[in-house]
Amino acid sequence: MRQRLINKSAPQETLQTKAASKGAKAVSRSAVVDEALSLQSLLFDSSISKEDWTEGLKYHSKALTNYLLNDQTKGFNQYLSSQLATGIPELSDLVKKRLNAIDYRPVLQDLLQTAILIEHSTIPPYLTALYSIKDGTNALASQIIRSVAVEEMLHLIMVCNVLNAINIQPSVNKPQNYPTYPMKLPMNVDFYVGLETFSTNSIATFIAIESPSKPLVKAPTFTIEPESAPSFTQRAAIQENNFWTLDNMKGFIMENVHTIGEYYDVLFFYIVVFQIIAYYQEHGSLPQNFKELNAGGIFTGDPSKQIRPEQYYGSGGKLHSVESLEGVIAVFQEIKGQGEGADDSIFDVDPSQFEEGVELAHYFRFKEVFHEHFYVGGDYAPFTDEDGMMPVTTPPTGKPLPVDWSAAYPMKANPKLSDYTENRELYEQGLEFNKTYRRLLDAIQHAVEGNQRELEKSIMYMYALKEQAVGLMKQPLDSQSNAGPTFEYTSL
C-alpha cells in the first residue's frame, strides 16, 4: 500500500489571494516568484538569476513532491499540464546545446550515493546501542532498536534499486562508503552521530536523526495493544546561466535541507527534473501527464539487477523494486513513512487500513524508549488542537515501557581500532569484527550487482556481528570504559 506522507494543501495560491490575506504591500518577493516563475522557466530559462532559481526550486519541489508522494496523480497531471503546456519557448542555440548535452548520471550518482551514506550512517550507531544492551534486559527497547536497524538496511537496499533502475552501479562496500564517527549527516544538521552505548544520550541522538520535517501530527486515536514494543526578476544584462549542476544542486541541499525526509523530497524532485529533461531530449516536447513521464527516459537499467521482495530476508517494512518513476515513488514513500510517519500520523502506515504489522515511525519508536512509555492508549487531549493535531515533540503517555538504563556495557564512545594496539588479543577481536562487517557489505554489494542470492549470507553475518560485538564490550579498556566495535573499513 502506498502511504500519503506530506500535508495536503492547495498546490498554488494565487498572488491575489496572498495579497488579500497579507495586504498588497506585504506580499513577499518569494510569493511573486511562486506565482510567476513556472516550472518551465525554472528548467529552461537561462536568463533567470540564481536567486530566482533558488526560490523557484523551493516552491516547485514542494508542489511536485506533494502531488506524487501523496498519490495525487490527477492533481499532478493538472499541475504538470499548467506548468508545461505552453510549449518550449524559442531557445538560444547555446541553451539547446546545453540541454541536449545534460548528463544526469554523475549528478544522480552523487546524490543517490549520498542517500546510501545517510542510511548507512545510521546502521552502526543503532547496532552498537543494540549490542550494548545486556542479555536478558530491556527486551522491548531491544526489539524497537533492532526493528529500526533492519529497516535502515532495507532503505539502503532500495536506494540501490533506484540507482540500478537508472543504470548506475551502486557502491556500498568501498572505503568511501564507510561513515567515520563521530560525524554529521551529509545535510544541514547541527548534531553529531556516533557509536555509543545504550543510554538516554544515544537514544536522544537517534530521535534527532529521525526527526520529522513537519511540526504536527494527528494525535493517535487508533487503539492497539503493542505486541511488544515578477514574472521573475529581469536583469539588465542577460546571460546564459545553467544552474542544474551538481555543485548548485548540492548547495541548495546544504542550505535548505535539515532532515532526512527533506533530503528525499529534494532528491525526488531532482529525479523528476532529469526525467522531464530526458523526455524533452527524446521527444522534442514536454510531458503533459504522469503516464508520459513514468517510464523510459532515465530509467534504462537492467531489471534483472533489482532486488525484489522475495529476495530480501529482513523483517519489517516492504521492499520495492524500481523500473520506472512509479517505483521511485514507492521507495521514497516507504523510506519517509518508516522514518517520520505516514499521512500526518505517528504510524509508518495508515492505521485505519488495519494492515498487519502496523507500527510507529522510527522517530516515535525512539521517543517511546526515551520516555519509557508507549504512544498508543495515551491521553493526548491536553496537547491536541481543534483539528486533532499535536506537536511531534509531544511525549508518549500510554502504558509504561520499562527501561533499565544501567543494563548496558560501559563502552567507550566512538572507539577506533588504534585504541587496541597495546592489547594484541583485543586488537584481533576488533579487526575480526570489522572483517565480518565488511563481509556483510560485500554480500549486499554482490546482491545489488545482480547476484541476489548473496543476500542469504547477511543473516549469518548479522548473528556473528552481535557475538563479536558483545565479546568486545565485555572487556575493560580502561578504568572507566570497555572496548566496543569500531565499524572501520578493512581489507580481507
Side-chain angles (χ1 to χ4, degrees):
M1 171 186 140
R2 304 260 189 85
Q3 315 314 330
R4 299 182 300 280
L5 303 174
I6 303 171
N7 283 322
K8 272 68 76 179
S9 59
Q12 189 170 351
E13 288 184 277
T14 64
L15 184 59
Q16 290 80 9
T17 300
K18 292 175 182 177
S21 62
K22 298 182 180 179
K25 293 183 179 180
V27 178
S28 67
R29 179 181 175 282
S30 176
V32 175
V33 173
D34 288 356
E35 170 64 18
L37 183 59
S38 68
L39 179 61
Q40 180 171 292
S41 295
L42 187 67
L43 297 180
F44 295 103
D45 194 325
S46 61
S47 66
I48 63 176
S49 68
K50 178 69 173 292
E51 187 178 13
D52 288 335
W53 179 82
T54 299
E55 291 298 315
L57 200 157
K58 288 179 183 179
Y59 175 75
H60 287 289
S61 63
K62 291 179 180 178
L64 185 150
T65 303
N66 180 64
Y67 284 124
L68 289 183
L69 293 189
N70 283 309
D71 293 328
Q72 298 182 41
T73 305
K74 183 177 180 180
F76 172 75
N77 290 343
Q78 294 172 343
Y79 161 80
L80 193 66
S81 178
S82 70
Q83 293 294 315
L84 303 181
T86 57
I88 302 177
E90 282 299 317
L91 303 177
S92 70
D93 290 339
L94 179 60
V95 174
K96 290 179 181 178
K97 182 178 180 180
R98 170 173 60 79
L99 287 175
N100 287 321
I102 283 179
D103 185 2
Y104 63 87
R105 293 169 59 84
V107 178
L108 292 186
Q109 181 176 28
D110 186 286
L111 297 174
L112 284 163
Q113 281 293 155
T114 298
I116 289 176
L117 179 60
I118 290 172
E119 301 296 345
H120 189 175
S121 298
T122 67
I123 295 171
Y126 294 167
L127 291 180
T128 298
L130 174 64
Y131 297 154
S132 71
I133 297 174
K134 295 180 179 179
D135 286 344
T137 69
N138 294 312
L140 293 174
S142 295
Q143 183 174 350
I144 288 172
I145 300 172
R146 183 183 298 107
S147 69
V148 175
V150 169
E151 288 173 4
E152 296 297 350
M153 192 74 73
L154 172 73
H155 298 173
L156 185 152
I157 290 172
M158 288 196 292
V159 176
C160 290
N161 274 351
V162 175
L163 275 162
N164 271 325
I166 58 179
N167 202 23
I168 299 174
Q169 179 61 60
S171 179
V172 300
N173 65 343
K174 301 295 189 292
Q176 61 267 29
N177 305 135
Y178 273 65
T180 302
Y181 302 101
M183 64 174 289
K184 287 188 175 183
L185 296 178
M187 303 175 295
N188 186 12
V189 297
D190 58 0
F191 62 91
Y192 283 88
V193 178
L195 306 176
E196 297 182 51
T197 192
F198 175 72
S199 66
T200 55
N201 187 69
S202 59
I203 297 299
T205 299
F206 300 166
I207 291 171
I209 291 172
E210 304 286 354
S211 179
S213 54
K214 53 180 176 281
L216 298 173
V217 291
K218 294 176 183 175
T221 57
F222 179 65
T223 302
I224 180 173
E225 279 296 316
E227 295 179 6
S228 53
S231 327
F232 45 84
T233 304
Q234 297 289 345
R235 303 306 180 207
I238 299 297
Q239 58 180 356
E240 301 285 8
N241 295 321
N242 173 25
F243 299 118
W244 296 101
T245 65
L246 178 59
D247 286 345
N248 284 332
M249 295 166 79
K250 289 179 72 174
F252 179 86
I253 289 174
M254 289 307 299
E255 292 177 6
N256 298 281
V257 169
H258 307 278
T259 71
I260 294 175
E262 289 176 349
Y263 182 88
Y264 278 104
D265 283 346
V266 174
L267 175 55
F268 178 76
F269 178 70
Y270 289 160
I271 290 173
V272 176
V273 163
F274 283 118
Q275 182 68 347
I276 291 172
I277 293 173
Y279 185 94
Y280 164 74
Q281 290 172 332
E282 182 178 351
H283 300 277
S285 61
L286 296 173
Q288 299 299 300
N289 54 62
F290 180 78
K291 184 177 180 180
E292 291 180 351
L293 193 63
N294 183 37
I298 67 176
F299 298 102
T300 61
D302 183 354
S304 69
K305 288 187 175 183
Q306 291 293 309
I307 297 179
R308 304 183 186 276
E310 63 271 17
Q311 297 161 333
Y312 179 67
Y313 299 91
S315 59
K318 182 178 181 181
L319 189 144
H320 298 275
S321 57
V322 180
E323 297 180 32
S324 63
L325 185 58
E326 188 173 21
V328 179
I329 291 172
V331 164
F332 282 27
Q333 286 176 329
E334 188 78 15
I335 292 174
K336 282 171 57 63
Q338 287 183 342
E340 60 181 46
D343 197 21
D344 300 329
S345 79
I346 68 174
F347 297 95
D348 65 2
V349 297
D350 181 355
S352 67
Q353 301 298 317
F354 296 99
E355 290 199 2
E356 183 179 356
V358 63
E359 58 186 2
L360 273 60
H362 297 175
Y363 173 83
F364 300 99
R365 286 185 234 175
F366 285 135
K367 282 179 71 69
E368 287 185 325
V369 176
F370 185 86
H371 292 283
E372 303 180 36
H373 282 82
F374 290 103
Y375 269 98
V376 291
D379 178 13
Y380 298 95
F383 309 99
T384 307
D385 64 19
E386 63 275 11
D387 298 317
M389 305 297 288
M390 70 175 187
V392 297
T393 54
T394 301
T397 61
K399 63 182 289 188
L401 191 166
V403 177
D404 181 358
W405 297 104
S406 66
Y409 296 107
M411 190 197 86
K412 176 184 177 179
N414 304 305
K416 303 295 182 185
L417 204 57
S418 58
D419 295 331
Y420 309 150
T421 52
E422 295 183 5
N423 185 327
R424 186 62 183 176
E425 182 178 353
L426 192 58
Y427 181 89
E428 291 296 332
Q429 285 184 259
L431 181 62
E432 192 57 39
F433 175 92
N434 288 339
K435 287 182 177 180
T436 301
Y437 190 64
R438 166 69 189 277
R439 293 185 182 102
L440 172 63
L441 296 182
D442 285 351
I444 296 174
Q445 183 66 42
H446 293 321
V448 300
E449 289 174 355
N451 302 305
Q452 290 88 344
R453 292 290 300 270
E454 287 291 306
L455 273 183
E456 297 177 13
K457 298 178 181 178
S458 62
I459 299 176
M460 173 184 67
Y461 293 135
M462 289 298 289
Y463 280 117
L465 281 177
K466 178 179 180 181
E467 181 179 351
Q468 293 168 351
V470 172
L472 285 164
M473 292 178 180
K474 287 182 176 180
Q475 300 191 52
L477 187 59
D478 53 43
S479 61
Q480 296 182 326
S481 60
N482 289 8
T486 66
F487 291 92
E488 294 171 283
Y489 176 84
T490 187
S491 300
L492 297 178

